[in-house]
Amino acid sequence: MNNLPEPDVLVKHYELTADAWEKAIGTLPGSHTVYAPVKRWGSLDYEPITTENIPAIVYNEPKPVSPLKLFLLPVKENVVLEPDVNKPLVVIGTPSCDLWALDLLDRFYLNSDFIDPYYKLRREKMILIGTACHSLLEHCHCTSYGVNPWPEKNHDILLSQSNGKFFLEVLTEKGEKLLETLKTGLEIPAASNGLPEELIQKRRSVKSQIDQANKKLPNYQETTSAVKNAGEEVWEKYAETCVSCGACATICPTCTCFLLIDRPGFEKVKQMDACQYPGFQRVAGGEDPHRKHHIRFSNRYFCKYVFRPERYDALACTGCGRCIEACIGKINKNEIFMEITR
Amino acid sequence: MSANNNIYKPFKARLEKVIEESPLIKTLVMVPETEFSFKTGEFIELTLDGIGEAPFTPSSSPFVKDRFEVTIMKAGYVTGLMHELPVGEVLGVRGPFGRGYPVEEFFGKEVLILGGGCGLAPIRSLLYTLIEYKDKIKKVILAYGSKSPQDCIYKPLFSYLNSIDNFEAHRTVDETTDDWDESVGVATVLLDKVKVDIPNAIAVVCGPPVMMKYGTFKLLDMGFPEKDIYLSMEKNMSCGLGKCGHCMMGEYFVCKDGPVFTYDEIKDLPDIW
């Protein structure tokens, strides 16, 4: 699946006032399921949007707590029954790190060997309104993975907010179609110029701040060989405070492992799983290639930086930093990379 | 989306007969409710309704289309319950999945098969297949080890194989009783007794991890090239689609890229045994 348009062919720019934009979104609930980032108790996460909470939507702030994958790969889903997907899903405010993660998810779940029918249906119904990050969080390090902090791929519309004005760049047919709905009873004039210079400067400034904050990190190209060559003692050392809670995998925008649970009537429930849980690879009889904690711990690094990139030619880490924020053992993967590339 | 194209949804199969192979191993003979065929070495997921599913490589001939057999060792919760099933019970089946034995590549060669314990289950299916192609195979040697004479499964199979031209079957046990007049020792001891034209042979290994490991090392010592040793890697295959991650072995998903691998494909991966 490639949502990238030919440059300068499909891209159309529009400019709205804040009031007009909120009215435009107000046309969606009912015909569409809409999610957007809303701040609660200081943390930003996607919430369902109704006509009531449109003013609470937060724009251009760095990543929501939940990764975008949760809209495509629910925590739990009965995969024998018909999927419960009807209306198109509009996700507003998807950050670049999550949009890049779709490369891997799409190649993994929509490859020619096997197309997951549930993923495919959700993906087709998904319309993504990406936003650039106008600030950064402590563990943001997308740029060290070649990911810029503004949407570059896999989104349908790019939305930017500046000085009370909203700018839309419509990039795909899905985006065009959504724009038609947004225009219901509303004038959305095409912008004569492209993005205001002020917004371009803001993007550049955030990129350089992320670069600066992570200047000691190795380049993405070095991570594969670094993981392959890391001594066992490194994994032993960092696994010491790992409690195998699986938070890193759950919160990761590219982790895909799951468990099939049986239900009466030969039904199967597909539930999110994590290679960090003890017994993940255990077989009947008790053999377990990942019995040793540090081997299980290292598996996630091998998967992210060696196996997946080599096999799917896509980033399996987009530098969102959620795994660092989520770790209750205070394990910082960036510290591991600094150590193994020293 | 209909049930027919939903790969997560099992089709049904009725348990026709249970064969007690050893105190810990039973063979379930099943009649599928829909058309079902597999290639030797591919595996299925067998579901106990509402309880769980487990992967098995059918132990029957892929040339038999109206029924299939799986040989199950009582090793955990689901396999324990499968041992208690009454005839007539309906089970769920998904598959077949994975990459089986590339039988055509064995044509014109000698085939040395090393099996241990319940690992003889996929091998029996392979043997039935090789019997179908016996004119195209130079020689088939089975070397099989079990813990004791009573743990030895498929007891009639050995005399049957020895009655076929160019087929020979050898057995060994770890521990013996007085009335055992065959080999004693681990499965690899049989490899010293067989005559193989190694440059024109391939080897197949299936059994418990420790046997797979030392069996492979022994075959390498004998001079088998790494690419000519076929291993049936049985890991925690769950989805069968190369997605859920439970059977990951290095970059490979055993359920999709395997379960049959040549040793040279996997030798550099960590924790393969």
Side-chain angles (χ1 to χ4, degrees), chain A residues 233-254:
Chain A
E233 69 285 353
V234 174
W235 308 121
E236 282 171 349
K237 175 180 155 188
Y238 284 94
E240 260 177 25
T241 58
C242 169
V243 294
S244 305
C245 69
C248 51
T250 308
I251 207 83
C252 174
T254 67

Side-chain angles (χ1 to χ4, degrees), chain A residues 79 82 108 111 113-114 116-118 257-258 260 262-263 265-266 268 273 280-283 285 295 307 311, chain B residues 1 6-8 10 47 49-50 52-53 75 92 94 235-236 243-246 248 250-251 253 256-257 271:
Chain A
V79 285
E82 289 292 316
F108 193 70
N111 70 31
D113 286 352
F114 166 65
D116 185 292
Y118 293 83
C257 287
F258 63 84
L260 283 179
D262 284 82
R263 292 280 179 263
F266 293 105
K268 307 271 176 198
D273 204 352
F280 181 78
Q281 290 221 331
R282 188 175 58 225
V283 296
I295 299 287
F307 307 148
R311 185 151 191 162
Chain B
M1 183 165 31
N6 184 349
I7 205 152
Y8 292 112
T47 300
D49 188 19
E53 67 178 359
R94 293 192 301 120
K235 299 281 177 191
N236 182 359
K243 302 294 167 202
C244 79
H246 287 263
M248 261 189 99
E251 66 182 291
F253 293 95
K256 183 161 156 277
D257 304 311
D271 313 306

Side-chain angles (χ1 to χ4, degrees), chain A residues 53-237:
Chain A
N53 62 352
I54 291 169
I57 298 174
V58 174
Y59 301 94
N60 295 110
E61 282 202 14
K63 63 182 184 279
V65 170
S66 302
L68 185 64
K69 76 169 179 188
L70 289 176
F71 291 108
L72 295 161
L73 303 167
V75 173
K76 248 184 185 185
E77 175 173 37
N78 189 316
V79 285
V80 166
L81 303 180
E82 289 292 316
D84 182 22
V85 180
N86 297 310
K87 295 177 192 172
L89 169 73
V90 179
V91 185
I92 301 170
T94 49
S96 180
C97 48
D98 280 358
L99 291 165
W100 269 80
L102 287 178
D103 275 359
L104 183 83
L105 297 185
D106 286 351
R107 281 169 210 186
F108 193 70
Y109 276 110
L110 302 177
N111 70 31
S112 54
D113 286 352
F114 166 65
I115 292 173
D116 185 292
Y118 293 83
Y119 181 92
K120 181 169 182 271
L121 182 65
R122 286 203 166 82
R123 187 73 175 91
E124 283 169 355
K125 293 256 184 187
M126 179 181 247
I127 306 161
L128 295 168
I129 302 183
T131 53
C133 298
H134 288 175
S135 57
L136 66 159
L137 294 174
E138 185 187 359
H139 298 298
C140 288
H141 60 288
C142 55
T143 59
S144 64
Y145 288 77
V147 173
N148 283 318
W150 57 84
E152 293 170 307
K153 51 163 67 179
N154 296 329
H155 54 306
D156 300 295
I157 293 178
L158 177 55
L159 174 72
S160 309
Q161 185 199 29
S162 177
N163 296 328
K165 278 187 179 169
F166 283 81
F167 299 88
L168 298 181
E169 292 171 56
V170 178
L171 300 135
T172 65
E173 279 177 29
K174 267 187 191 174
E176 291 254 295
K177 216 175 144 194
L178 185 74
L179 185 75
E180 288 310 308
T181 311
L182 291 171
K183 276 176 168 176
T184 310
L186 197 72
E187 275 288 303
I188 299 185
S192 45
N193 301 313
L195 216 53
E197 183 59 27
E198 180 239 352
L199 278 173
I200 294 166
Q201 288 303 332
K202 205 168 254 175
R203 288 181 184 183
R204 286 189 186 139
S205 154
V206 172
K207 178 180 160 60
S208 74
Q209 287 175 60
I210 297 173
D211 282 341
Q212 182 64 23
N214 297 290
K215 61 184 176 192
K216 288 180 186 162
L217 277 185
N219 190 285
Y220 181 66
Q221 277 75 25
E222 294 171 50
T223 56
T224 301
S225 62
V227 168
K228 277 182 181 171
N229 298 326
E232 208 164 331
E233 69 285 353
V234 174
W235 308 121
E236 282 171 349
K237 175 180 155 188

Side-chain angles (χ1 to χ4, degrees), chain A residues 239 242-250 255 257 273-281 290 292-303 331:
Chain A
C242 169
V243 294
S244 305
C245 69
C248 51
T250 308
C255 268
C257 287
D273 204 352
C275 65
Q276 297 303 296
Y277 296 148
F280 181 78
Q281 290 221 331
H290 289 175
K292 288 182 186 163
H293 188 185
H294 71 282
I295 299 287
R296 197 165 69 239
F297 179 81
S298 71
N299 181 68
R300 193 162 177 278
Y301 289 81
F302 275 92
C303 188
I331 299 162

